Amino acid sequence: GTAQSLYAQILQQDEKNVEAYVGIVRVFIAASQLEQAQSLIENAPADIAKNPNFAAAKSALELAQKAPK
């Protein structure tokens, strides 16, 4: 989607932009693309992984994974 490409553009210029990184994770969750979201969570840079916004997105992914299909 459009939000995803916007976040991707931001990350190309600033790969440690937490809002953009978390934004892409949430776009994937919203689109039920949980494998892509999981991959981003697992491969997040340390600076992003310790951010509270990242923790919230990780929790959202875990909830989505537990939801009945």
Side-chain angles (χ1 to χ4, degrees):
T2 317
Q4 188 179 340
S5 51
L6 186 65
Y7 290 136
Q9 281 181 327
I10 295 167
L11 287 171
Q12 281 175 344
Q13 292 160 8
D14 174 15
E15 71 261 358
K16 295 197 168 127
N17 186 301
V18 173
E19 285 74 22
Y21 200 93
V22 168
I24 289 182
V25 172
R26 289 189 175 276
V27 167
F28 280 140
I29 294 168
S32 297
Q33 294 176 315
L34 303 184
E35 285 170 19
Q36 290 94 323
Q38 181 74 45
S39 176
L40 284 172
I41 296 283
E42 288 171 0
N43 298 301
D47 290 350
I48 288 176
K50 61 189 178 192
N51 186 286
N53 291 339
F54 178 83
K58 187 175 179 182
S59 296
L61 174 61
E62 287 164 2
L63 282 173
Q65 288 169 328
K66 288 180 190 144
K69 298 279 180 284

